[in-house]
């Protein structure tokens, strides 16, 4: 079992910045990927950024060149630095870990709200 806890959400103005953090605890071994997702109000959850076990990062087109995902594996942390925020970046942000067990399992945090006002 992996427990994930996000923090750092809040209110920001357009053009502003926020940093989200996600702390993992529990059986944090054999991690295949670490990712941030978001779910805008009344919309589907969508991938924002993901880092594979090789350290390569990929981003949704809508956040490229504005958001940066980073990890501190020694501390079991992942971060999402969000710059030049837009109102359409608003939503609940979730971190997700995929771990190799008997099969591939995913673990989710409870989410943190990000609201961007113009």
């Amino acid at each position: 079992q992996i427990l994930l806890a996000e923090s750092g959400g809040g209110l920001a103005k357009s053009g502003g910045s926020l940093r989200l953090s996600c702390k993992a605890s529990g059986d944090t071994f054999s991690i295949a990927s670490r990712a941030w997702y978001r779910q805008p109000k009344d919309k589907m959850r969508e991938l924002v950024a993901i880092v594979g076990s090789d350290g390569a990062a990929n981003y949704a087109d809508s956040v490229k060149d504005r958001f940066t995902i980073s990890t501190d594996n020694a501390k079991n942390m992942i971060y999402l630095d969000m710059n030049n925020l837009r109102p359409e970046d608003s939503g609940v942000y979730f971190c997700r870990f995929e771990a190799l067990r008997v099969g591939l399992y995913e673990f989710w945090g409870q989410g943190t709200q990000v609201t961007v006002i113009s």
Side-chain angles (χ1 to χ4, degrees):
Q1 178 76 351
I2 297 175
L3 299 177
L4 300 172
E6 302 95 339
S7 61
L11 185 67
K13 291 184 178 179
S14 289
S17 300
L18 285 173
R19 185 182 222 208
L20 304 184
S21 301
C22 174
K23 171 70 176 174
S25 60
D27 301 323
T28 56
F29 57 89
S30 299
I31 304 301
S33 69
R34 298 165 175 84
W36 287 97
Y37 282 71
R38 68 186 179 192
Q39 187 164 16
K41 188 177 180 182
D42 299 326
K43 293 186 178 180
M44 299 288 289
R45 194 172 296 187
E46 60 185 10
L47 176 66
V48 174
I50 186 167
V51 178
S53 57
D54 60 356
N58 286 284
Y59 298 88
D61 287 343
S62 60
V63 307
K64 276 181 185 175
D65 301 323
R66 298 189 300 121
F67 290 12
T68 302
I69 186 171
S70 59
T71 67
D72 185 337
N73 293 343
K75 295 181 180 179
N76 287 322
M77 297 286 295
I78 64 169
Y79 305 95
L80 186 68
D81 288 296
M82 305 186 293
N83 297 310
N84 193 18
L85 284 163
R86 304 167 181 169
E88 55 264 38
D89 293 320
S90 298
V92 180
Y93 282 68
F94 300 88
C95 61
R96 186 200 75 167
F97 278 34
E98 272 189 317
L100 288 169
R101 300 289 185 260
V102 181
L104 198 62
Y105 283 77
E106 58 180 15
F107 300 90
W108 292 87
Q110 294 297 306
T112 185
Q113 176 72 45
V114 171
T115 303
V116 183
I117 57 174
S118 55

